[in-house]
Amino acid sequence: MLKGLGSLAHSPSGLGLARAAVRTVVLAAVLDSGLAAARAEPAHGIAMHGAPALAAGFEHLPYVNPNAPTGGTLKLGELGTFDSLNPFILKGVAPSGIREWVYQSLLARSADEPFTLYGLVARTVETPPDRSWVAFHLDPEARFSDGKPVTPEDVVHSWRLLKEKGQPYHRSHYGGVARAEVTAPGVVRFTFADAANREAPLLLGLMPILPRHLTPAETFGETSLEPPIGSGPYVVAKVDAGRAIVLRRNKDWWARDRAVVRGLYNFDEIRLEYFRDQSSLFEAFKSGEVDVRHEDDAGRWGEGYSFPAVADGRVIRAEMPTGLPAGMTALVFNTRRPLFADPRVRRALLLMLDFEWINASLYHGHYARTQSFFERSELSAFARAADPRERMLLAPFQARVKPEVMAGTHKLPSSDGSGRNRENLRQAFALLKEAGYVQEAGRLVHGETRQALAFEMMAGKRAEERLFQAYAEALKRVGIDVAIRNADSAQRWARLKSFDFDMIQWTWGSSLSPGNEQRNRWGSESADAPNALNFAGVKDAGVDAVIDALLEANERPDFVSAVRALDRLLISGDYVIPLYHARGTWVAWWAHLRQPSRRPVSGLSIDSWWSGR
């Protein structure tokens, strides 16, 4: 059906037509299936693709201990500070855990499936196969921690507040609702303006429910240290502004016997203490003031855990396997800058990064090279030839996908780790020469404009600065002038929001069900939108089209093909210099904590742990 559309990809207007053609094919496949005419029925859960893995009437999630004892205290550490207890607004900084432990959503996510939700505040969910609307049937026993019932009016009020005054992603997720209405006692229904967004019902299912009687619209956008009221398993018991917060398990929690949460939330108290720097936080963990540490520094993981508590078994250190994609940690080109608008320059700079030497010198060899935006999962296009579905999606944009990427033979350049990197440098110089650069007095300058090849790398962390320095030294040896600018958190975020940078290091996390966030990261409309995460400035109709396809896919195989097609376009564009990922999740914890014998696909679920004291 797409045969002959390749010629459309040679002009901006043609790209728009090609994107529309791809979307038409995807929607036609949905309609041709005959599913749209099927009748909606209330169900115990909803999956992004296919059916939920757990049947109605399940007793508990498969990765919990339903008989886990309750009690004890979980002590956690965080970096930074906080000045508000409202996690839903732009103003202020809220502490971790408020959203997860104090508030609840209509539905609860299973950590053992790509994207499946089961009933919680809403006992059942109802949506037609075309997902043009969704209705939630509330559990009549659902209560806020002050004893007030959760009503459909609370749900509509929450939707309106978050859509109008919430975080940017709230406004994006909930802004697509054309109508919200209470259709029967205990039932609230949302009708969508765009029925093509199949993720929309699930995003509504994850919406936190706020008490209408305590969250007036007039003051919702303001910061506050007043302990919030939610319907979740914990309440705020104590606040030491900017330093610590104590959450206490609500013994009257209405949902404690529900199957989807049985075996979770076992600690009587959760204490979160804030630290100004990583060194202080790590010392607190070593002394037992913090119970669990999720490590993200390869050097510390390799050398920092030789203290006595590890040696005698009081602290357990493990690399937990995980089925989640690694995401993309990379050096990001701001392609809005004229220098980086040239893909030959981007490719040359990618060739000049000697990953093998950097990994050995800075990270003790603990990392693997990231070859895909969805590394470590079935969604990755790396080492996989494009399937027929991918080829159909990419047909109008085939000139934008490198042949080796389409064939699954692409691999990032590597070296022998000696630090010389000669062959890659030779290829890089050939590309720069093709782009018009020549060497003069030890510097690379453009032969026509006389502009030196120079740029700035903005660092926000000490670990980033070390990497930048190593890379900058290698570039300076070949005549490229690199300045490293250190920015504190406030300065960095201000510059990121307005895309005022040349190159940064960034990590885009990933799940087994990437969705609407891909538009915010790579969609053309987000390239010039303040606060968006499209730091690379990607504007490509092919990228837009395959994002549409992944959002509109009905079945998992079609979805996987669409995500791989996106992966191939992003890899081929050389928008970033991919860096590294850990093969698993680095975690250390004090041995008095216990966990179920079976871990979920995500690998780590602290909510299922309990105290062994």
Side-chain angles (χ1 to χ4, degrees):
M1 193 170 181
L2 287 175
K3 187 176 180 180
L5 289 178
S7 60
L8 291 177
H10 295 296
S11 69
S13 60
L15 284 173
L17 291 171
R19 179 186 176 189
V22 170
R23 186 168 184 176
T24 298
V25 170
V26 173
L27 291 176
V30 175
L31 296 175
D32 289 345
S33 69
L35 293 175
R39 183 167 173 256
E41 294 286 352
H44 71 296
I46 181 173
M48 183 63 195
H49 303 102
L54 303 178
F58 71 91
E59 296 183 357
H60 59 82
L61 295 170
Y63 53 87
V64 305
N65 174 4
N67 301 312
T70 59
T73 297
L74 176 66
K75 297 174 291 184
L76 301 176
E78 296 283 347
L79 275 181
T81 185
F82 65 92
D83 58 9
S84 173
L85 298 185
N86 186 344
F88 307 116
I89 59 174
L90 283 170
K91 286 186 178 180
V93 178
S96 298
I98 295 291
R99 166 64 185 90
E100 296 80 7
W101 292 317
V102 174
Y103 291 96
Q104 280 182 309
S105 303
L106 291 160
L107 308 175
R109 188 166 189 166
S110 168
D112 213 35
E113 301 175 55
F115 195 4
T116 298
L117 307 179
Y118 294 98
L120 188 55
V121 172
R123 180 174 287 177
T124 59
V125 56
E126 183 180 5
T127 187
D130 68 358
R131 296 192 176 179
S132 55
W133 56 267
V134 62
F136 299 98
H137 299 247
L138 303 191
D139 190 320
E141 296 182 14
R143 295 288 186 275
F144 293 107
S145 60
D146 63 357
K148 300 285 186 182
V150 180
T151 68
E153 289 75 18
D154 291 312
V155 177
V156 174
H157 181 71
S158 301
W159 163 74
R160 187 170 289 114
L161 281 181
L162 295 169
K163 181 190 71 167
E164 296 174 356
K165 299 187 177 185
Q167 296 279 2
Y169 66 90
H170 290 136
R171 303 181 194 199
S172 173
H173 290 346
Y174 310 140
V177 173
R179 186 169 67 256
E181 54 190 333
V182 179
T183 57
V187 180
V188 58
R189 173 169 164 161
F190 297 93
T191 302
F192 302 108
D194 180 9
N197 184 357
R198 294 185 54 79
E199 191 181 34
L202 287 87
L203 296 177
L204 262 295
L206 289 175
M207 181 176 68
I209 306 306
L210 315 176
R212 184 177 56 147
H213 61 287
L214 294 175
T215 50
E218 296 77 18
T219 58
F220 178 69
E222 300 302 318
T223 61
S224 173
L225 288 172
E226 183 72 19
I229 298 296
S231 61
Y234 289 88
V235 297
V236 176
K238 183 179 179 181
V239 178
D240 184 356
R243 297 181 179 180
I245 184 170
V246 177
L247 305 178
R248 184 167 298 136
R249 193 161 60 91
N250 181 5
K251 294 184 178 179
D252 296 322
W253 184 36
W254 71 274
R256 64 182 180 275
D257 295 323
R258 297 300 186 270
V260 75
V261 296
R262 187 172 293 132
L264 300 177
Y265 314 121
N266 302 309
F267 296 98
D268 278 349
E269 281 191 351
I270 300 176
R271 298 182 183 179
L272 295 99
E273 186 173 354
Y274 278 76
F275 298 85
R276 295 291 181 181
D277 55 70
Q278 279 284 8
S279 296
S280 300
L281 177 52
F282 187 54
E283 290 302 316
F285 173 71
K286 289 167 62 176
S287 67
E289 296 175 38
V290 172
D291 287 329
V292 184
R293 180 170 178 82
H294 185 175
E295 186 59 73
D296 61 0
D297 185 291
R300 188 181 294 115
W301 186 249
E303 297 183 342
Y305 287 79
S306 57
F307 52 95
V310 174
D312 62 25
R314 286 176 295 147
V315 166
I316 301 170
R317 174 177 172 268
E319 182 175 81
M320 291 186 177
T322 175
L324 294 180
M328 174 59 75
T329 295
L331 301 181
V332 185
F333 297 109
N334 185 351
T335 63
R336 304 168 188 85
R337 299 290 203 243
L339 171 64
F340 295 145
D342 190 328
R344 296 168 297 188
V345 173
R346 301 199 300 269
R347 184 65 185 178
L349 290 171
L350 185 154
L351 284 158
M352 291 183 183
L353 185 126
D354 189 342
F355 173 78
E356 285 70 26
W357 181 84
I358 287 174
N359 191 30
S361 301
L362 300 184
Y363 307 124
H364 305 272
H366 285 301
Y367 286 128
R369 186 75 189 270
T370 299
Q371 303 278 353
S372 161
F373 285 78
F374 305 96
E375 183 81 44
R376 208 175 56 194
S377 77
E378 66 169 341
L379 302 176
S380 170
F382 178 65
R384 291 184 173 103
D387 62 33
R389 173 68 173 173
E390 290 178 71
R391 292 184 180 279
M392 181 190 73
L393 290 172
L394 293 170
F397 319 105
Q398 55 189 349
R400 285 169 148 69
V401 183
K402 296 176 181 179
E404 63 271 24
V405 175
M406 187 68 82
T409 59
H410 170 268
K411 188 175 182 181
L412 289 169
S414 60
S415 74
D416 61 7
S418 66
R420 297 182 182 89
N421 202 23
R422 290 174 178 170
E423 176 57 26
N424 291 336
L425 288 175
R426 185 188 65 77
Q427 295 179 41
F429 273 115
L431 284 169
L432 292 174
K433 182 178 179 181
E434 184 181 327
Y437 286 92
V438 297
Q439 279 193 316
E440 287 187 0
R443 302 176 69 206
L444 280 171
V445 299
H446 197 277
E448 294 181 1
T449 67
R450 317 309 299 166
Q451 185 75 33
L453 206 170
F455 60 92
E456 178 187 278
M457 303 179 76
M458 182 172 67
K461 302 176 183 177
R462 173 58 185 162
E464 292 179 356
E465 187 180 352
R466 290 171 57 216
L467 170 63
F468 291 1
Q469 287 173 344
Y471 184 43
E473 284 299 318
L475 295 182
K476 286 178 181 178
R477 286 198 293 268
V478 298
I480 299 175
D481 187 16
V482 179
I484 298 174
R485 174 69 60 86
N486 295 303
D488 61 31
S489 180
Q491 293 172 330
R492 186 170 185 263
W493 275 109
R495 292 183 62 182
L496 289 177
K497 288 178 180 180
S498 59
F499 307 120
D500 180 22
F501 62 87
D502 295 337
M503 180 181 281
I504 58 168
Q505 181 177 334
W506 188 259
T507 297
W508 289 278
S510 187
S511 73
L512 288 170
S513 184
N516 280 276
E517 79 285 347
Q518 301 303 311
R519 283 178 171 157
N520 189 43
R521 297 175 179 186
W522 316 114
S524 297
E525 292 180 2
S526 67
D528 299 314
N531 297 314
L533 297 183
N534 190 348
F535 295 124
V538 177
K539 285 186 178 181
D540 187 289
V543 169
D544 296 335
V546 296
I547 291 175
D548 287 344
L550 73 88
L551 292 175
E552 294 159 5
N554 282 296
E555 300 299 329
R556 184 74 182 176
D558 291 339
F559 173 77
V560 170
S561 293
V563 177
R564 289 180 186 170
L566 173 61
D567 200 20
R568 294 185 202 279
L569 284 163
L570 294 177
I571 292 169
S572 297
D574 287 327
Y575 300 110
V576 304
I577 303 176
L579 292 174
Y580 48 70
H581 65 276
R583 294 172 179 84
T585 303
W586 297 334
V587 186
W589 65 93
W590 283 81
H592 64 83
L593 297 180
R594 302 286 189 269
Q595 56 183 295
S597 57
R598 182 194 184 289
R599 297 189 182 111
V601 168
S602 62
L604 181 64
S605 175
I606 291 180
D607 285 338
S608 68
W609 293 18
W610 64 92
S611 175
R613 285 177 173 170

